[in-house]
Amino acid sequence: MRKLTYYVAATIDGFIATDAGSVDFFPVGGDHGPAIIAQYPETLPTKVRQVLGVDKPCQNFDTVLMGRKTHDFGVRTGTSSPYAHLRQFVVSTTLPENPAPDVELISEDPIARVRELKREKGLGIWLCGGGELAQSLMPEIDQVFLKLYPIVLGHGRPLFGTGSRLPEPSKFRVITSRVFEDGVAFLKYARVR
């Protein structure tokens, strides 16, 4: 069965974006970028892959899930299909239709749809964001891959949203960790079942 992995960047105080959705505070460069890109090339937006000349096949994920706000970030940068090299889904109850021909809308019961996707053959499923979607999909998240930046933002969009509380704590264990010279820590967690 395929795994759902929440692969995301966060500050050390647990935010993935500003209140307005900006991620400009995450520094570009340093030694963590090339190392992570080499291991997870499919997590670069298609336009960025083209600019950087990244032409590697998908190694870990062939499917991406995004919440409406995460998808809107791509729209603001000029694309309604940010990960055209992957099978793309947007989870939203407010979008009236698929936002692009190659982006499928999930408007009802995202947990049921994720369970269907997990039963399909293929590589892993990447939960790209955002925090509210991660919170709603928590029962199905198998792994959390966290790029932890040495930044305190103070406020913004939390790693796991601000909505209703989970019925019980979800436990994870560290499976690998690496701290780069630029201060970014890359932590991989697996759910304890």
Side-chain angles (χ1 to χ4, degrees):
M1 185 178 289
R2 303 199 299 166
K3 292 182 179 178
L4 177 63
T5 301
Y6 186 26
Y7 174 90
V8 66
T11 63
I12 57 176
D13 56 345
F15 295 105
I16 59 173
T18 66
D19 293 321
S22 172
V23 294
D24 294 346
F25 57 88
F26 288 125
V28 177
D31 64 324
H32 76 281
I36 292 174
I37 290 169
Q39 192 171 3
Y40 299 94
E42 64 271 33
T43 62
L44 289 172
T46 302
K47 285 184 177 182
V48 174
R49 287 170 58 95
Q50 292 167 349
V51 168
L52 296 178
V54 175
D55 192 25
K56 291 184 173 185
C58 297
Q59 298 174 12
N60 306 281
F61 310 114
D62 60 12
T63 304
V64 61
L65 296 175
M66 301 168 263
R68 167 80 186 258
K69 293 175 188 171
T70 300
H71 181 263
D72 284 350
F73 179 79
V75 171
R76 287 194 308 273
T77 61
T79 182
S80 59
S81 179
Y83 299 99
H85 56 284
L86 299 173
R87 186 173 173 201
Q88 303 173 87
F89 294 88
V90 174
V91 178
S92 173
T93 57
T94 58
L95 282 173
E97 59 187 25
N98 291 350
D102 61 344
V103 179
E104 183 179 325
L105 176 64
I106 300 173
S107 59
E108 295 180 7
D109 198 1
I111 287 181
R113 186 65 176 114
V114 166
R115 288 177 179 154
E116 290 171 8
L117 291 170
K118 287 172 114 178
R119 286 190 296 269
E120 294 176 359
K121 292 192 184 297
L123 298 175
I125 304 163
W126 170 32
L127 172 54
C128 177
E132 291 172 16
L133 180 57
Q135 185 183 77
S136 69
L137 292 177
M138 181 54 75
E140 290 302 316
I141 294 176
D142 301 294
Q143 302 176 124
V144 177
F145 291 1
L146 185 61
K147 296 175 286 185
L148 192 61
Y149 286 76
I151 297 169
V152 174
L153 192 57
H155 58 86
R157 294 186 181 167
L159 189 58
F160 287 96
T162 58
S164 60
R165 296 185 185 273
L166 297 172
E168 59 186 47
S170 298
K171 296 179 182 177
F172 289 80
R173 65 180 171 81
V174 175
I175 51 176
T176 64
S177 64
R178 179 176 177 188
V179 179
F180 294 91
E181 287 184 27
D182 60 13
V184 174
F186 187 47
L187 305 163
K188 291 183 180 181
Y189 296 90
R191 180 182 287 278
V192 175
R193 299 242 185 224

